[in-house]
Amino acid sequence: MVFTSNPLSLSVPDPFFESWLRENGYPEIIDQHTSTAITTSTTTTTDASSITNGFFISLFSRIFTLLSLFTINPFSKLTNDDLAAQTPPWTTIFIGSSDSYSFPLSVSQARMRVQENVKRYARNYATLFVLFFACSLYQMPLALVGLISCLALWDVFKFCSERWGLDRYPIIRECLIRVAQCVAAVILICSNVQMALFYALGVSYAGMILHAGFRKLASCKANSSW
């Protein structure tokens, strides 16, 4: 379905029309209209001003828009239903073709893209985080050993708790849990597991922001065939 900029412009103001599009699942129309409107405005401005001034204005505008991506809260619209939804196909939907990407031409367009794409591809981003974390552990064998040691420690504690019937002695059980937590924390810190986690979070977050900001909004109706 293709709309003009505002087919009800004689009776409905643009802000209300855009709000209606958002609420009814057509953010891709706002995204497309924003790109067209800003491109037309930029072309008109370039014809009326010098090429040099237009180049620097466009350059600084793009730099500002790119930096603004990292000031956006990408999880503001994320819900539990988005995480429980089916994972979109990686090649046809998540990655798409080269035509599926474009530079966001304004901060508002970048914000809309990031928030909407994070909702749609939340499970893909979560999978990428797990993959990056696994790669970090592979590059840091000591962190991998530390993580496995902590998991083994809690398995041993659970086994001993059931074997010795520690449920009948809640005070002793609580003390042992605190001791096990301290030991696990020391193992994680000494094996630099927190660094592996930090690297995975940093890379996956940057990748998510850049992908969500540059990925055009695909039609929700077209994606319903997942």
Side-chain angles (χ1 to χ4, degrees):
M1 184 180 296
V2 179
F3 290 99
T4 58
S5 59
N6 186 347
L8 305 177
S9 58
L10 295 178
S11 58
V12 180
D14 284 342
F16 290 98
F17 182 62
E18 291 185 0
S19 176
W20 181 88
L21 289 175
R22 292 175 187 272
E23 294 174 357
N24 288 272
Y26 296 101
E28 67 279 358
I29 298 176
I30 304 175
D31 183 41
Q32 181 180 4
H33 172 61
T34 301
S35 300
T36 304
I38 294 180
T39 302
T40 304
S41 175
T42 303
T43 303
T44 304
T45 304
T46 303
D47 295 338
S49 61
S50 65
I51 298 178
T52 304
N53 291 338
F55 170 76
F56 282 108
I57 291 174
S58 176
L59 177 62
F60 287 120
S61 176
R62 285 175 176 255
I63 293 176
F64 178 76
T65 302
L66 183 62
L67 294 177
S68 69
L69 288 174
F70 295 92
T71 65
I72 299 172
N73 179 12
F75 309 112
S76 60
K77 294 185 178 180
L78 189 64
T79 63
N80 293 331
D81 293 337
D82 299 324
L83 296 174
Q86 184 178 359
T87 303
W90 286 89
T91 55
T92 58
I93 301 299
F94 180 72
I95 298 177
S97 63
S98 59
D99 296 332
S100 302
Y101 299 88
S102 68
F103 198 97
L105 300 179
S106 67
V107 177
S108 60
Q109 185 184 36
R111 180 184 299 107
M112 180 179 63
R113 283 186 179 183
V114 169
Q115 293 176 346
E116 290 294 333
N117 282 328
V118 167
K119 284 174 60 65
R120 298 179 182 187
Y121 308 122
R123 292 177 64 89
N124 299 89
Y125 296 137
T127 303
L128 287 178
F129 165 72
V130 174
L131 178 62
F132 288 139
F133 185 55
C135 292
S136 299
L137 292 176
Y138 178 78
Q139 294 294 329
M140 304 173 63
L142 183 60
L144 178 60
V145 172
L147 183 61
I148 294 176
S149 299
C150 288
L151 296 177
L153 174 65
W154 285 107
D155 283 341
V156 170
F157 176 81
K158 181 180 179 181
F159 173 79
C160 294
S161 177
E162 294 176 352
R163 184 178 182 84
W164 297 338
L166 294 180
D167 292 338
R168 295 175 297 178
Y169 311 99
I171 297 178
I172 298 178
R173 186 174 185 274
E174 187 68 20
C175 293
L176 292 177
I177 288 177
R178 301 306 178 189
V179 172
Q181 288 176 340
C182 293
V183 173
V186 171
I187 294 176
L188 292 177
I189 294 174
C190 293
S191 57
N192 284 332
V193 174
Q194 72 278 7
M195 294 304 300
L197 182 61
F198 175 77
Y199 291 149
L201 282 173
V203 174
S204 59
Y205 183 82
M208 178 189 69
I209 289 294
L210 292 176
H211 176 271
F214 284 84
R215 183 69 163 84
K216 293 180 181 178
L217 295 179
S219 173
C220 293
K221 308 303 179 183
N223 295 342
S224 61
S225 59
W226 296 346

